[in-house]
Amino acid sequence: MIIDIIRKKACNYELTKEELETIFNGYLTGFVKDYQMSAFLMAICINDMSDSEIFALTDIFIKSGDTLDLSSIPSIKVDKHSTGGVGDKTTLIVAPLVASCNVPVIKMSGRGLGYTGGTIDKLESIPSFRVDLSEEEIIKQAQEIGLVITSQTKNLAPLDKKIYALRDVTATTNSIPLIASSIMSKKIAAGTDKIIIDIKVGDGALIKTNNEAERLSSLLIKIGTYYQKEVRTIISPMDQPLGYNIGNKLEVIEALNVLDNKEAGPLLDLCLDLASNMIAMGLNISLEKARELALTNLKNGKAKEKFYELVKYQGGDLTKLTIDAKQYNIKANKSGVLKNIDALLIAKLSQNLGAGRKNKEDKIDYNAGIVIKKDIGSKVEEGDILAYLYTNLDIKDFDINGIFEIS
Ligand code: URA
């Protein structure tokens, strides 16, 4: 029976919902083995899925676990998701900015496994910050301050979690239908009303081409429509790191700089685009009006105040946000123009400094990371500092080959 379902997909026939339930629910219970699911996922990667198969799979993922009931929070709740990028600390900026405009944000985030930490790792780098709120605490905090960022408490889409772990080790992460159902099942189970999804495209991202990003965008919107949830998407580049800091505590520090109006550039621009869309959806207003509100609350300090309120409510102590690691300078080996900073290579370097996990069990060094000191397109002289590296590991040589392109 299972083998027939695998064969059917391998021969590029459309599967019924019952067949998908049989194989996926069987995997959750252990009846379907890793090797069978691996073959099946590869068949999906090669032969794709129809829209009705994708809707069915999303539904199977959602029903594999619990859903959060946020109906006791009266306003429209808006959530945000990013497909993942290097130096992506947008949630730390966007969530308080949107909440400061009276749109409640209840965000369940994850830890990172790839090269860099996830939002939860970044927040945990703030001493004493609690990321393990119960459902009651989430609701109370949302009602009182309109902003919560916590790790997934409930058993949300556990089947997606199990499948994702297998995809990670079977070269099946970049299937667009699998990505679409994975993202949407978690967002729908998390109970928000409207969702913005930042689709990253480029060398440092899961999605490498604009065509794939466009397809993913249209699928996410279709799945949202099926569940009566408004979904908007932004397609943003990930060939270079986002902002200047990479590494958990360093990214919190940079987020605070942005909230303090001390940094302009691509990171701020993307945050304003994301926040404006969330505010527009939450308050049912135009994008232009929403952008004005976002800019006002950034400039008058309300967004930053909201971040402080969040940290205080979740027990964190921002007075202890100092980098406790050895600092090394990376200098330019020639003069010229800084043409590129390779996102993927710099992410690997930050992982080697201790800022990311290689295995699920690894402990992250919150102090480790990189601060980029030069903008792409700027002139550099031989010997100029390109970046500071921070690590507590005993590293003799840093592999920076190919990261900074000067010509
Ligand atoms: N993010 C997810 O949650 N799932 C994917 O499959 C890819 C990115």
Side-chain angles (χ1 to χ4, degrees):
M1 179 64 179
I2 295 300
I3 201 171
D4 294 332
I5 299 174
I6 300 171
R7 192 178 292 115
K8 194 170 166 188
K9 189 77 228 171
C11 293
N12 204 10
Y13 291 108
E14 188 179 42
L15 297 176
T16 62
K17 181 154 192 206
E18 291 67 38
E19 286 167 327
L20 288 166
E21 276 167 349
T22 303
I23 188 157
F24 279 105
N25 290 337
Y27 185 60
L28 191 60
T29 60
F31 172 69
V32 172
K33 306 296 173 211
D34 277 348
Y35 51 83
Q36 293 172 310
M37 185 50 78
S38 305
F40 184 64
L41 292 173
M42 190 53 82
I44 291 178
C45 275
I46 294 166
N47 287 330
D48 213 324
M49 288 177 113
S50 67
D51 284 0
S52 53
E53 285 176 313
I54 296 168
F55 295 156
L57 180 56
T58 309
D59 212 51
I60 294 167
F61 280 161
I62 295 169
K63 290 187 177 139
S64 71
D66 305 317
T67 47
L68 200 64
D69 180 6
L70 299 178
S71 56
S72 59
I73 300 143
S75 332
I76 296 175
K77 280 98 31 204
V78 185
D79 200 354
K80 152 188 186 292
H81 186 83
S82 158
T83 56
V86 184
D88 187 348
K89 68 279 290 171
T90 51
T91 293
L92 304 179
I93 300 160
V94 169
L97 177 53
V98 172
S100 75
C101 297
N102 295 324
V103 176
V105 179
I106 298 123
K107 173 120 185 68
M108 299 221 181
S109 290
R111 291 175 200 284
L113 177 59
Y115 297 113
T116 54
T119 299
I120 289 302
D121 297 309
K122 292 169 200 181
L123 285 170
E124 260 189 343
S125 76
I126 303 171
S128 317
F129 192 96
R130 279 190 60 212
V131 294
D132 53 350
L133 306 182
S134 67
E135 194 174 340
E136 294 68 37
E137 285 175 312
I138 292 172
I139 305 275
K140 181 168 178 281
Q141 184 172 329
Q143 283 165 341
E144 287 183 9
I145 68 164
L147 175 60
V148 184
I149 310 179
T150 180
S151 54
Q152 230 166 264
T153 42
K154 276 202 153 192
N155 190 27
L156 297 189
L159 181 54
D160 169 63
K161 199 170 176 189
K162 192 166 176 194
I163 295 285
Y164 195 87
L166 188 64
R167 284 169 59 205
D168 213 23
V169 290
T170 54
T172 52
T173 43
N174 54 359
S175 148
I176 301 297
L178 292 178
I179 296 173
S181 33
S182 165
I183 293 175
M184 289 306 289
S185 59
K186 283 175 291 207
K187 294 287 119 185
I188 289 160
T192 43
D193 305 305
K194 304 191 178 192
I195 306 148
I196 180 107
I197 299 168
D198 180 13
I199 302 174
K200 301 275 184 215
V201 195
D203 287 344
L206 193 56
I207 294 134
K208 306 287 180 207
T209 67
N210 275 320
N211 280 350
E212 287 174 315
E214 296 287 353
R215 161 123 199 264
L216 180 59
S217 165
S218 104
L219 278 177
L220 295 168
I221 293 167
K222 273 194 214 165
I223 301 173
T225 309
Y226 183 80
Y227 286 93
Q228 282 137 36
K229 310 252 179 209
E230 186 183 350
V231 174
R232 294 190 188 183
T233 61
I234 285 183
I235 297 176
S236 64
M238 188 29 75
D239 297 306
Q240 291 127 17
L242 191 58
Y244 296 99
N245 293 13
I246 301 153
N248 300 285
K249 208 184 273 183
L250 288 166
E251 292 193 37
V252 175
I253 292 170
E254 186 174 19
L256 276 165
N257 279 341
V258 173
L259 287 167
D260 226 356
N261 287 301
K262 289 186 187 144
E263 182 182 317
L267 171 61
L268 174 64
D269 294 344
L270 177 60
C271 287
L272 283 171
D273 285 348
L274 291 165
S276 308
N277 274 287
M278 291 171 78
I279 296 163
M281 285 195 284
L283 301 180
N284 277 320
I285 57 174
S286 71
L287 204 52
E288 294 69 38
K289 183 91 193 90
R291 199 178 171 87
E292 263 174 47
L293 285 178
L295 275 168
T296 305
N297 277 10
L298 195 67
K299 290 196 181 128
N300 66 15
K302 286 201 171 146
K304 188 180 174 196
E305 264 170 40
K306 194 47 102 176
F307 184 79
Y308 274 88
E309 206 179 348
L310 169 85
V311 173
K312 188 167 174 215
Y313 209 104
Q314 292 187 218
D317 183 356
L318 283 170
T319 62
K320 298 197 179 129
L321 205 66
T322 48
I323 297 298
D324 184 13
K326 280 172 280 179
Q327 181 186 308
Y328 299 86
N329 301 339
I330 298 297
K331 294 185 179 167
N333 58 5
K334 61 175 174 180
S335 300
V337 172
L338 180 59
K339 286 277 163 61
N340 191 33
I341 302 173
D342 189 293
L344 188 60
L345 293 179
I346 209 163
K348 288 183 183 172
L349 174 62
S350 82
Q351 184 187 46
N352 287 334
L353 298 173
R357 295 182 185 82
K358 290 184 179 155
N359 296 300
K360 263 207 305 259
E361 318 62 51
D362 287 352
K363 248 181 107 53
I364 279 187
D365 177 358
Y366 295 128
N367 296 288
I370 301 162
V371 176
I372 297 165
K373 298 306 291 179
K374 290 280 180 195
D375 284 311
I376 291 170
S378 65
K379 279 181 83 172
V380 295
E381 299 296 331
E382 184 179 342
D384 278 359
I385 293 176
L386 297 174
Y388 296 128
L389 308 188
Y390 294 93
T391 185
N392 286 304
L393 297 174
D394 191 20
I395 300 177
K396 297 278 178 298
D397 284 313
F398 300 101
D399 183 8
I400 56 155
N401 263 336
I403 295 181
F404 298 95
E405 186 194 331
I406 300 171
S407 59

